[in-house]
Structure formats: C-alpha cells, structure tokens
Amino acid sequence: MINVNPLEIVKNYDFRFKKDLGQNFLIDENVVNKIIDATEAGPLDTIIEIGSGTGVLTKHLCKSAKKVMAIEVDKGLIKILEDELKEFNNVEILNKSIMAVDLNMFKEERLKIVGNLPYYITSDILYKIIEEGNGFESLTMMMQKEVCDKILSKPCSKTYIPLSVLMQYYYDIKIVESVGPHCFYPKPIVDSMVLNFRKKDDVYAHRKTFIDFILVCFNMRRKTLKNNLKVIEKAIKLKNFNSIEEVFVKLKIDPNERAENLEVIQFYNLFSALL
C-alpha cells in the first residue's frame, strides 16, 4: 500500500507547506485510484504529471506507464520526490513551473497529462494545454469545482465562457469524481472535481488562432457578436463572402446575438467562414 499521508512522508525533511503555491496534497487513496483508473496509463504511455507533490500519484503512474515526467515547481519537494521514486527507472523529475515548460517538446507517440492543478493558475494552465497540447491523448485533472462547472457549462448560462467553448470543442469530457476539502492536506476552502478529457481527432489544428477568435467573440460580454467582431473586421480576408453580415445570414446566426448564446459548433462554423 502506498502512503498517502504527506505529513508522514515529509517528517524527516526540512519541508514547509507553501500557501502561495496553492499546495493542497491529496490524501484520499480512493480518489487517487479513481484518477489512476481514469488515466488508463499503459506501457506505451508517457505521462506528464503537473504538480507531483510528494509523489503519491507518481508512484502509481510509474508502475503502469512507459515513462513519467514529474513536474514540480517547489524546490523543497525535489529531494523528497527523488527519495520516494528511487525504485523507478522510468521517471524524470523536472523542477519547473508547468507554465515554463514547452509542451510541444514532447514527441512521444502516446502522451497524457495528469495533475492536481493549483487553483490560482488553473485557467492559465488550461489555455496553455489547449494551445500547445495538440499531441496529448487525454488529460485527467483535479481542479476547483467552480472551474469545472464553467468548463462543463452550456450556452445561455452566465458561467459559459471562452474556456467552456474551447475545452468542449477539443475534448470529450467526463466527470470522474467530486472531491471534498477533507480529501486534502492542508484542507482547501473550496470543493474540487476530477475531470477526464479525451482528445477529439477531427478538430481545427491551429489552436492559437482559434483561441484568439473565441476570446474576441467574448471580449465584451454584453456586446453583440457583430460588435465584438468589428475589432478584427479589417484584418479578415473573407474567402467566400462579401461581408461579415453575409456570413451571419449564411450560417443562420443572428448578428445581434451575444457570444454566450452560441453552441460550440456554431463558433467553429463562424470561425471557419471568416478566417
């Protein structure tokens, strides 16, 4: 049985939990097992683990995966990880923030991301993965429940945001587990959730352009789509239309509609017609 108690693991080290890094270590073995099951790590998989902490999840991944890249920003945890993972020869520990890692550098055939994302930069990490993570088969991530609710949100909702559109466009999403504060040490003040994302293959590949387009559509939430798109109107070279108004008519989209009311596929159809 793998020890999931961070206090027991770090007791022989000069380690202090750092609130500014959003350190909340998972201590519930049942949740750990749910994450492992959802990841479906196999002998052909290379796993990028975001925030390896004390290595609890990392050990499980190392037992199943071809290789594990354990990314941990806290230098104080590196020695602990090295000791905890010394029995494995298929793990590489990287002392960096995930935001400083070029995800395009990983060229292995089967790539997956696993992580307990720090709440204060969750959105930044997700946008980075969307833009750079075209090669990842799946993502299995613990996040603040509020963020998960936004990702899963549907049109005509106040919580329907650019991240909702982008994550739903690029991935099939499944709820793995709801996780309460008692499952962590130290206890966070919010509820969490584990989501599993499976890559869709038939989607637009040049992600940065699509991300920018979606952000423009939502730029001023109370403005209409037509008004928001005026920002890029001069830069657009319409392929098959004489005007943006003609595009709206063709796609049967009301130009006075707000972005929050469009279905995910409507955003792509509009993007594809305009750019």
Side-chain angles (χ1 to χ4, degrees):
M1 180 179 290
I2 291 176
N3 184 4
V4 297
N5 186 341
L7 289 177
E8 183 68 23
I9 294 171
V10 305
K11 68 179 181 180
N12 295 322
Y13 299 86
D14 183 23
F15 175 77
R16 292 175 177 81
F17 293 92
K18 299 176 181 63
K19 191 175 182 179
D20 62 313
L21 293 179
Q23 287 179 335
N24 302 102
F25 296 134
L26 186 59
I27 59 173
D28 189 302
E29 189 171 7
N30 179 58
V31 177
V32 171
N33 288 330
K34 290 283 182 68
I35 294 172
I36 294 300
D37 290 343
T39 303
E40 296 181 348
L44 299 178
D45 295 328
T46 294
I47 310 292
I48 314 300
E49 185 189 13
I50 301 173
S52 297
T54 57
V56 171
L57 187 57
T58 323
K59 287 183 179 180
H60 283 279
L61 295 170
C62 286
K63 290 180 177 179
S64 304
K66 174 184 176 183
K67 183 179 180 180
V68 178
M69 291 290 301
I71 299 174
E72 175 53 57
V73 68
D74 186 355
K75 189 175 181 179
L77 285 167
I78 299 304
K79 174 59 178 171
I80 297 172
L81 283 170
E82 289 173 347
D83 289 348
E84 288 292 307
L85 303 172
K86 62 186 177 184
E87 65 182 285
F88 301 102
N89 59 12
N90 62 336
V91 61
E92 182 177 344
I93 301 168
L94 193 59
N95 183 205
K96 274 189 175 183
S97 164
I98 185 61
M99 297 304 296
V101 177
D102 179 5
L103 297 178
N104 290 311
M105 68 182 278
F106 301 106
K107 304 300 182 183
E108 287 84 350
E109 289 185 11
R110 288 182 56 86
L111 287 162
K112 296 180 178 180
I113 289 182
V114 178
N116 178 10
L117 303 189
Y119 295 156
Y120 69 104
I121 56 168
T122 294
S123 293
D124 292 340
I125 293 173
L126 291 176
Y127 274 111
K128 180 181 179 68
I129 290 172
I130 295 168
E131 183 175 342
E132 299 179 13
N134 187 42
F136 288 90
E137 295 285 328
S138 70
L139 324 169
T140 306
M141 297 183 293
M142 175 103 65
M143 294 173 282
Q144 186 175 345
K145 184 179 181 298
E146 182 182 350
V147 176
C148 294
D149 289 341
K150 289 178 179 177
I151 289 171
L152 297 167
S153 188
K154 298 303 180 184
C156 305
S157 167
K158 289 182 179 179
T159 55
Y160 189 61
I161 60 173
L163 203 55
S164 317
V165 176
L166 291 164
M167 296 303 285
Q168 290 178 39
Y169 176 73
Y170 283 110
Y171 303 99
D172 291 314
I173 308 171
K174 181 178 71 174
I175 297 173
V176 175
E177 185 80 347
S178 295
V179 187
H182 64 280
C183 295
F184 299 89
Y185 184 89
K187 288 184 181 179
I189 59 174
V190 296
D191 288 328
S192 302
M193 185 180 284
V194 181
L195 296 181
N196 178 257
F197 304 82
R198 296 285 170 174
K199 182 183 72 170
K200 294 179 182 177
D201 292 322
D202 54 342
V203 290
Y204 180 71
H206 300 287
R207 295 177 172 219
K208 179 65 167 65
T209 310
F210 190 48
I211 292 170
D212 290 344
F213 175 76
I214 299 300
L215 292 175
V216 167
C217 288
F218 279 87
N219 185 37
M220 297 293 288
R221 194 173 181 90
R222 303 314 301 167
K223 279 190 175 183
T224 64
L225 269 172
K226 180 180 175 181
N227 284 336
N228 275 335
L229 289 173
K230 280 183 178 179
V231 176
I232 60 172
E233 187 169 12
K234 291 182 180 179
I236 293 174
K237 294 181 179 179
L238 295 175
K239 294 177 286 187
N240 302 307
F241 300 93
N242 295 316
S243 67
I244 288 182
E245 287 78 6
E246 191 178 319
V247 176
F248 281 111
V249 172
K250 177 68 175 179
L251 297 178
K252 298 180 180 179
I253 297 174
D254 184 350
N256 295 313
E257 193 69 271
R258 295 189 176 99
E260 64 191 51
N261 296 327
L262 260 65
E263 299 284 344
V264 172
I265 191 60
Q266 288 180 296
F267 279 108
Y268 175 73
N269 290 341
L270 184 58
F271 168 81
S272 182
L274 288 173
L275 299 175

